[in-house]
Amino acid sequence: MILVKAAVYLLLTYFYVSKPGFYMTHPGIDTFAKALLIFIGPSLVFSIARLIVIYWYIRKHKFKNNIKDNFILGISRIVSILNTIFFAIAALTLFEIEPKDFIFSVSIVAAAIALISKDYISNMINGLIIMFSDRLSLGDHIKVGTLEGKILDITLINMILQNEDNDMVIIPNSIAFSSVIINQSKQNIKKLSIEFDMSLKNGYTPEFLETYLYKAIENDMDNVVKGGLSVKTIEINKDVAVFKAMVLLKHYDKIKERVLRRLINTALLRLSAQQMEEQMG
């Protein structure tokens, strides 16, 4: 695309300087060529600058050429914004509208548009900040409030996650920027937490539940840190005690985490059903 833009730009520049005869007889073509020149020139500069910056960034960090990275994504978004601005200027030139006169004539409308689109502008700015931040990266597994998943993409408006059910979760950048985000991929270990409650009549202690759950997952411990299963009491109410089972994983693996979660949930359900049967019997 850079070579195509360069060829078109050189051709238009040649015609603009030499002023061929059909430019004189067809002023519309002259205006169109001028507008195209205004757009392609800066766009060519932006494309070359983007290529140089990305090449330097990849060489500096010794990444692969097809790496997906926030910095590269942010540079591409900025180039898109600049191209849009110069496309608008070229459109004004095509319709022979002076940019200064256009700005003054629509100042009130522009103010109203800016007021209406403030959320969009806020999302765009927050998105660019997130892209150039080293705290979040494409592919990271994060938790935003009650939402959890892997970052698939960051646009100028939204952050797109993929949760455990392979659903696409779209979070506005302004919400993601102002929320507490837990980046589980940046941790040395991954935590799997499950909260549950048990009746006080059962008299279960955290030690008993740890031993019971350890037996339930002992055949699938290859991704679990040694001694990484623990149960603690969160709250004691009138009739039930709220516990949290926490499993420390060596690394993030969605499939193995799902297996462990299922084993723990199944074990807890069986324990509750067993106690219910004993009470009824």
Side-chain angles (χ1 to χ4, degrees), residues 253-266:
D253 189 318
K254 184 168 63 175
I255 297 177
K256 292 182 179 180
E257 180 181 340
R258 187 179 300 169
V259 171
L260 287 172
R261 187 183 296 274
R262 184 177 300 167
L263 289 172
I264 292 174
N265 287 334
T266 302

Side-chain angles (χ1 to χ4, degrees), residues 210-226:
E210 282 182 12
T211 303
Y212 177 79
L213 293 178
Y214 180 82
K215 292 180 180 178
I217 66 171
E218 60 182 351
N219 294 327
D220 292 271
M221 298 282 288
D222 56 319
N223 193 36
V224 178
V225 176
K226 185 177 180 180

